[in-house]
Amino acid sequence: MIELKTTSEIKKMSEACKISAQALKLAGDYMKPGVSTKEIDDAIRKFIVSTGAKPNFLGYGGFPGSACISVNNVVIHGIPSADIILKDGDIVSVDTGAFYDGFNGDNAYTFAVGEISEEAKKLLKVTEECLYKGIDAAKIGNRIGDISNAVQTHAESFGYGVVKKFVGHGVGHHLHEDPEVPNFGKAGRGPRLAAGMTLAIEPMINLVGEDVKVLSDGWTTVTTSGSIAAHFEHTIVITSDGAKILTKA
Ligand code: MG
């Protein structure tokens, strides 16, 4: 069931989203060679807790980190570790979320460490564009499939692989709610979009091939091809004036 949020609920949810966005922005300050993903996770957890919120990924399904930190060929759900040390040329996808006053925020960004390849720069640029094309399609009168199709069409026009095994989602009282928001599909299909719908739109795009596999830790999701991948995400609300991004720092 898709739960539409009232204006006062959106106001509360905006706070959770703002904290999530601030945590993500903070992660950007740590994108330097020699920093471990555990250090970044610690900083994110301390920040979220300092606001009175809770890191909503911590303990979710048993996840051990406060953020998912995914380096290079890791698409999503990277487990923060003192053994994963950033180096020049890495790309790092950080996914942060906060639970505050009964609501969740969820957002992600792929950062560059030092100087990255032209190939990586382009993948990051296009994946972020995919996110905004999805957001632009998130308007009353459209359906979920219009968001999905906008993301897929843009990514595939560059020959990139759209991850199909994991999808975006509704978000609100729960971190994952209905509906699913795939990054692939046909325009004009799926649930109709309505005011008060709150969605996490999150393209996950591989440089080569769409296949991914989950490693034996049960979380770390890598590209089957071994190529790099990017992940950008915002939590949005659909209004009569189109989509409004809630995860703004
Ligand atoms: Mg999400």
Side-chain angles (χ1 to χ4, degrees):
M1 197 197 79
I2 299 172
E3 193 200 325
L4 302 180
K5 278 77 177 179
T6 63
T7 306
S8 67
E9 285 176 319
I10 294 299
K11 207 173 165 194
K12 283 186 185 183
M13 195 165 151
S14 299
E15 286 304 309
C17 287
K18 187 177 164 192
I19 295 164
S20 304
Q22 288 170 334
L24 190 57
K25 192 164 178 248
L26 175 69
D29 297 340
Y30 286 79
M31 295 299 149
K32 296 183 181 91
V35 175
S36 77
T37 60
K38 169 87 165 51
E39 285 173 66
I40 302 168
D41 189 62
D42 286 344
I44 288 168
R45 187 183 61 257
K46 281 178 192 153
F47 169 75
I48 293 175
V49 169
S50 77
T51 66
K54 282 202 288 196
N56 52 13
F57 299 160
L58 185 61
Y60 188 93
F63 189 76
S66 294
C68 300
I69 307 181
S70 308
V71 182
N72 295 332
N73 65 315
V74 182
V75 188
I76 51 165
H77 301 166
I79 298 174
S81 166
D83 296 330
I84 302 174
I85 313 286
L86 303 185
K87 56 184 194 311
D88 194 50
D90 282 345
I91 61 167
V92 185
S93 299
V94 181
D95 195 339
T96 62
F99 179 78
Y100 185 76
D101 203 10
F103 287 92
N104 289 277
D106 189 5
N107 62 359
Y109 190 92
T110 303
F111 297 95
V113 180
E115 193 57 34
I116 61 171
S117 68
E118 288 305 316
E119 194 176 51
K121 275 182 200 164
K122 190 174 164 197
L123 177 69
L124 267 48
K125 178 174 178 280
V126 171
T127 305
E128 191 170 20
E129 287 167 1
C130 285
L131 170 60
Y132 287 100
K133 286 187 181 287
I135 291 171
D136 284 346
K139 54 188 181 193
I140 294 167
N142 274 359
R143 292 175 182 264
I144 291 289
D146 293 290
I147 300 173
S148 306
N149 190 257
V151 171
Q152 180 179 22
T153 302
H154 192 61
E156 290 184 349
S157 73
F158 291 87
Y160 296 147
V162 175
V163 173
K164 298 198 163 85
K165 190 168 177 166
F166 295 91
V167 296
H169 50 93
V171 55
H173 291 295
H174 302 280
L175 180 56
H176 294 106
E177 297 184 351
D178 288 338
E180 287 195 338
V181 186
N183 294 306
F184 59 95
K186 287 195 167 67
R189 301 278 180 88
R192 205 176 275 285
L193 304 177
M197 219 180 249
T198 44
L199 305 173
I201 300 177
E202 51 178 322
M204 295 158 241
I205 308 296
N206 299 343
L207 183 69
V208 179
E210 64 182 52
D211 291 339
V212 297
K213 60 185 177 189
V214 179
L215 301 186
S216 58
D217 60 26
W219 288 104
T220 310
T221 301
V222 301
T223 57
T224 304
S225 70
S227 82
I228 56 170
H231 179 210
F232 287 81
E233 177 181 32
H234 270 308
T235 297
I236 61 125
V237 59
I238 294 172
T239 76
S240 52
D241 293 326
K244 185 177 169 224
I245 296 171
L246 296 179
T247 36
K248 281 209 161 144

